[in-house]
Amino acid sequence: MTKAPILITGAAGFIGSHVAQAVVRMGGRVVGVDNLDPFYPRSCKEANLRELAASASFEFVESDIADARAMRGVFGRVRPAGVIHLAAKAGVRPSIADPVGYAHANITGTAVIQQAAAESGCDRLVVASSSSVYGNSLTAPFSETQDVNEPISPYAATKRATELIGHTHWKLTGMPTAELRFFTVYGPRQRPDLAIAKFLGAVAKGEPVTLFGDGSMSRDYTYIDDIVAGVLAAYDRIPAHGYRVWNLGGNHPVALGEMLATVERVVGKKAVVKRGPMQPGDVLRTWADLTRSSAELGYSPRTPFEEGVEKQWAWLKAER
Ligand SMILES: NC(=O)c1ccc[n+]([C@@H]2O[C@H](COP(=O)([O-])OP(=O)(O)OC[C@H]3O[C@@H](n4cnc5c(N)ncnc54)[C@H](O)[C@@H]3O)[C@@H](O)[C@H]2O)c1
């Protein structure tokens, strides 16, 4: 009998397609679920799936995770061993205009996935949370043990909600459940709405880039391969923990101005800079305390920032 597949939601997205490829490369089987949400072009998501689609170990199901009937059908047919739940409406700024849509996809969608996983006998669940749950915390680096009760965007609130319903799910079903707080992920296939992707494209074309705030805003950027390693380690190890929250960050906050200077060096062109005010919902900084994830997952980000930006740029040039 072949081993049961892992069901990965959001498999057509940036992080999901990389995680799915890593599982397939390691000899596993994957069923990917994604509704190809129009937040960014369907063509990007189809491109993300291209390599996977050629593998006999990958099956794609185009479906909405908030559709309980559809999910029950998929889980009942596939009987996955476990779930890596990455599907979500992502992005802080657009969530302010669409809090109901974000709540539906991210909170209801996660509840549906939890229930379908429990009913079909999955043995573990790994869920994407976000560094945004830390809000504008003054205590940095951000540790999993600190209070996270003051999210400042609808997106962040939905991610915190997934952690809370994940805890309930574990308490009631006993299903080991990991909640992973990703810190701004970048690299090939990065979502086109995120700053590095936008800046690389604009600088290359000589179009203006807008710097919000005074340039001191900083992010703990995390290269995609490091995130994939953290997700797979969490999948392996969560049964020993029950319910656990882990930070997956890059361990090196980079100020916005420094990020732009890196993009300029990598592209080999100066940016045309416009200034704008800090955007509602944006946090001032993110910085992961990795003590817990390194001790319990063996997590250790390996990709220096500039090297990661170079890899993303090489990918972008090849795609254009
Ligand atoms: N990229 C980051 O920097 C980052 C940081 C923190 C957390 N996260 C989280 O990681 C996960 C993956 O993020 P990403 O950057 O790969 O985003 P992405 O938008 O590229 O991928 C998410 C995928 O989920 C799918 N999706 C959205 N709503 C759906 C629904 N109702 N049903 C089925 N599929 C649906 C989308 O079509 C998309 O392909 C998300 O949960 C996101 O919130 C990402």
Side-chain angles (χ1 to χ4, degrees), residues 6-223:
I6 298 177
L7 191 144
I8 301 181
T9 71
F14 164 41
I15 300 173
S17 61
H18 283 282
V19 173
Q21 272 180 282
V23 173
V24 166
R25 238 179 262 131
M26 284 162 31
R29 286 200 294 136
V30 171
V31 173
V33 174
D34 199 299
N35 70 347
L36 306 178
D37 176 286
F39 177 51
Y40 63 89
R42 187 181 173 101
S43 57
C44 296
K45 297 183 182 180
E46 286 168 349
N48 291 347
L49 286 172
R50 208 167 290 138
E51 269 177 66
L52 277 165
S55 165
S57 302
F58 180 76
E59 178 195 338
F60 182 65
V61 179
E62 184 174 340
S63 193
D64 186 337
I65 55 156
D67 180 339
R69 208 157 149 250
M71 286 306 107
R72 209 168 264 144
V74 175
F75 277 74
R77 173 177 66 79
V78 168
R79 300 267 160 208
V83 181
I84 299 177
H85 173 42
L86 303 171
K89 277 191 181 291
V92 166
R93 291 176 201 156
S95 74
I96 295 170
D98 184 21
V100 176
Y102 273 68
H104 182 67
N106 298 2
I107 308 175
T108 304
T110 300
V112 167
I113 292 297
Q114 288 180 175
Q115 191 170 11
E119 285 172 2
S120 70
C122 290
D123 74 356
R124 69 196 74 181
L125 174 63
V126 173
V127 181
S129 182
S130 162
S131 61
S132 63
V133 300
Y134 291 106
N136 270 328
S137 167
L138 296 174
T139 313
F142 302 157
S143 146
E144 295 92 339
T145 53
Q146 73 193 59
D147 267 359
V148 280
N149 295 321
E150 296 182 354
I152 64 163
S153 68
Y155 168 72
T158 66
K159 286 288 157 179
R160 179 66 186 131
T162 66
E163 297 181 350
L164 297 173
I165 64 172
H167 186 268
T168 311
H169 171 70
W170 165 66
K171 271 286 177 194
L172 294 178
T173 66
M175 187 185 300
T177 301
E179 301 284 338
L180 304 180
R181 293 179 180 162
F182 298 154
F183 284 65
T184 316
V185 189
Y186 74 106
R189 302 185 195 149
Q190 190 192 36
R191 287 200 337 256
D193 61 300
L194 290 173
I196 297 179
K198 283 207 289 204
F199 285 15
L200 283 170
V203 172
K205 290 189 207 133
E207 292 169 356
V209 300
T210 308
L211 286 194
F212 295 111
D214 63 4
S216 66
M217 188 161 73
S218 64
R219 293 289 177 270
D220 190 359
Y221 293 106
T222 317
Y223 190 66

